[in-house]
Amino acid sequence: YQTNLFNNHLSNPRVHIIPAAKHLHIGGSVLKAMNIIEKNYPTVRYLYSLQHDFSFIRDVDHLALVNVMDEYSDDINYVRFLKCDPWQISRTCGDAKPIAYNQTLSQPGADGYDYGDAAGGSSSNRTNTTTAKSKSNTLTLYPTSSYSDNNHLVRFKWYHSTITSLIKLNRAPEDPLQSRADNGCLHKTPVGDDITGLYLYHERNIQHLDGRGSVRVP
């Protein structure tokens, strides 16, 4: 896996591969990367946290997301990208309301197709978005009590302080942060024991990869 990373990205100045002297798990690896970013790129405001086994099947409207996170700076801390339809995940969190925002992409499909509700899509439910444009320029972020380590966009300072506060980092942040998300939505207020500002992207746009079909590198 490491050999594939270096072979594919070593010559790209925009990609930095950060080796670990020991197994840091997700939490430790994420914090190590953020500490480096904070020191060397102090103006970074947002961060995409992407897992190696989840790929995007549709383009992300990055500009629209940054615009809405700038506008709702006190409300949105985390936008979760989805491997299922939004209605399959909790879309409530206390008294938080859905947030409408304007899209900037005219063709949301990464490959020119709309995959619809089916996992991976099929020829029967795909819509060619090069000819079928979106009927509305308005998208919606849904508040949620559901935290996931799956691909997400976060406010950098919020994420850095949240991950740092876990203390025990040699694990996936998902379980302890889910507990904190539940507390936040229930308005429980012990210091450091709740997180708020979690939202769901408006549609399914990631898929889980099956590594069993990967090509082995000597």
Side-chain angles (χ1 to χ4, degrees):
Y1 178 72
Q2 289 181 343
T3 300
N4 280 335
L5 286 177
F6 282 107
N7 285 341
N8 290 330
H9 303 296
L10 189 60
S11 61
N12 187 340
R14 295 181 177 273
V15 176
H16 301 279
I17 300 170
I18 305 171
K22 63 179 181 179
H23 180 48
L24 299 177
H25 214 296
I26 297 175
S29 297
V30 167
L31 184 59
K32 181 177 181 178
M34 285 196 292
N35 286 340
I36 293 173
I37 292 170
E38 184 179 48
K39 181 176 181 178
N40 294 279
Y41 303 97
T43 60
V44 168
R45 296 185 296 132
Y46 300 110
L47 178 141
Y48 282 95
S49 180
L50 311 178
Q51 294 187 314
H52 73 283
D53 55 347
F54 279 91
S55 66
F56 287 98
I57 58 174
R58 297 182 181 177
D59 290 339
V60 173
D61 199 335
H62 170 74
L63 180 58
L65 287 175
V66 169
N67 287 342
V68 72
M69 292 180 79
D70 281 345
E71 182 178 355
Y72 291 87
S73 58
D74 294 330
D75 300 296
I76 306 171
N77 291 314
Y78 161 104
V79 177
R80 174 181 172 181
F81 301 116
L82 304 176
K83 62 181 179 181
C84 60
D85 292 314
W87 58 265
Q88 295 179 278
I89 302 175
S90 169
R91 291 192 293 175
T92 60
C93 178
D95 56 2
K97 304 297 183 184
I99 295 177
Y101 65 110
N102 294 323
Q103 72 176 36
T104 64
L105 290 179
S106 60
Q107 298 176 13
D111 59 2
Y113 287 94
D114 184 344
Y115 282 85
D117 296 339
S122 67
S123 59
S124 61
N125 60 29
R126 292 182 179 181
T127 302
N128 191 327
T129 57
T130 59
T131 56
K133 300 299 179 80
S134 174
K135 293 182 180 180
S136 172
N137 289 328
T138 302
L139 305 175
T140 303
L141 295 177
Y142 301 100
T144 185
S145 60
S146 179
Y147 181 91
S148 173
D149 289 333
N150 293 167
N151 298 0
H152 49 274
L153 171 65
V154 291
R155 199 174 298 280
F156 184 88
K157 289 184 177 180
W158 174 86
Y159 199 53
H160 188 272
S161 64
T162 297
I163 297 297
T164 301
S165 71
L166 292 177
I167 301 177
K168 179 178 170 58
L169 295 169
N170 59 339
R171 59 178 172 177
E174 195 167 75
D175 287 343
L177 292 186
Q178 179 58 67
S179 178
R180 293 189 187 186
D182 291 335
N183 289 341
C185 291
L186 293 172
H187 298 294
K188 294 182 179 180
T189 57
V191 175
D193 199 34
D194 65 335
I195 56 174
T196 57
L198 309 185
Y199 283 80
L200 303 176
Y201 198 58
H202 66 280
E203 64 180 353
R204 174 181 179 265
N205 70 336
I206 62 174
Q207 65 180 355
H208 190 238
L209 301 176
D210 185 353
R212 290 175 297 181
S214 300
V215 177
R216 292 187 177 182
V217 176

